[in-house]
Amino acid sequence: RLPEMSKLKYELLEILGNVESSGTNKPPTRREVIENLKSDDTRELFKRLPRLVQLCLISSRDRQGLPLLPTDLDGDRIVGRFVQQELTSSKLQMPFAPRFHAMDLMHTAPLPSPFDCAFGFTLGHTAAALVCERRTFYVASCADMHLPVANWGPCAVPFSYLYYASDDSQDTGKVFAI
């Protein structure tokens, strides 16, 4: 449970309760909700949520009267979108492309898929090669995964490449081809 989300729900409850007490059963529009939210942080959070989530928070309620989130909510996609928006609006010009994994498929298949097996095999051999070469602080990875498995290439990415230590560090590392 996120405190920001709880705060947003209680502010929405107050707004939606005021609408019901006024005698109109029509829910407020998104714009009306944004105008009536009390604090700037809840207003910004509400604006950043996908439209479907906003509409669900306005129209759906639980037994206690609190606004409900959609049941099929993909939290990882929302967080990825928030990170992408924040990086775009900040002065750090870092490329960011969120990648998501469908966990729905994991609980329906008791055995790994051929892709899972090939990926695990490639990562395992890449990690073993890194150990044999005594390369530390590298992340085992796989290149060209959009191609057939036979064309995949093992590679290693230094940890320093995955984050920026400071603004003045331009050369954060190179990808090490195995």
Side-chain angles (χ1 to χ4, degrees):
R1 298 193 184 261
L2 297 173
E4 296 87 359
M5 201 63 186
S6 296
K7 186 176 177 182
L8 174 63
K9 282 184 174 184
Y10 282 107
E11 285 191 29
L12 283 171
L13 177 63
E14 191 173 309
I15 293 169
L16 297 172
N18 290 341
V19 168
E20 288 178 358
S21 65
S22 68
T24 61
N25 289 335
K26 182 179 149 192
T29 64
R30 288 178 45 252
R31 187 167 308 226
E32 291 170 343
V33 168
I34 291 170
E35 290 171 1
N36 291 321
L37 285 170
K38 291 180 181 177
S39 61
D40 290 336
D41 55 339
T42 55
R43 190 175 300 113
E44 287 304 312
L45 174 61
F46 187 78
K47 284 181 185 177
R48 293 175 79 180
L49 290 171
R51 187 175 305 267
L52 175 70
V53 175
Q54 291 175 346
L55 295 174
C56 191
L57 283 170
I58 294 171
S59 62
S60 302
R61 306 264 192 111
D62 64 6
R63 283 183 268 159
Q64 299 167 336
L66 288 173
L68 274 176
L69 289 169
T71 54
D72 58 344
L73 180 67
D74 287 332
D76 54 344
R77 293 186 185 277
I78 291 176
V79 170
R81 181 178 172 201
F82 282 0
V83 170
Q84 194 170 24
Q85 287 173 349
E86 192 63 33
L87 287 175
T88 302
S89 67
S90 71
K91 48 185 179 172
L92 294 174
Q93 296 300 319
M94 293 193 296
F96 178 75
R99 307 233 185 245
F100 307 107
H101 184 72
M103 294 304 288
D104 299 341
L105 303 175
M106 299 297 278
H107 66 83
T108 58
L111 297 174
S113 69
F115 172 83
D116 296 331
C117 293
F119 188 50
F121 181 86
T122 303
L123 288 180
H125 277 77
T126 304
L130 288 170
V131 169
C132 290
E133 292 290 320
R134 296 184 181 178
R135 299 285 182 164
T136 56
F137 298 105
Y138 281 86
V139 177
S141 188
C142 185
D144 301 321
M145 291 179 65
H146 62 286
L147 300 175
V149 175
N151 298 334
W152 287 3
C155 67
V157 180
F159 278 113
S160 61
Y161 188 76
L162 301 176
Y163 67 94
Y164 290 97
S166 66
D167 290 340
D168 58 329
S169 63
Q170 297 297 324
D171 187 22
T172 57
K174 303 283 186 266
V175 174
F176 175 67
I178 297 177

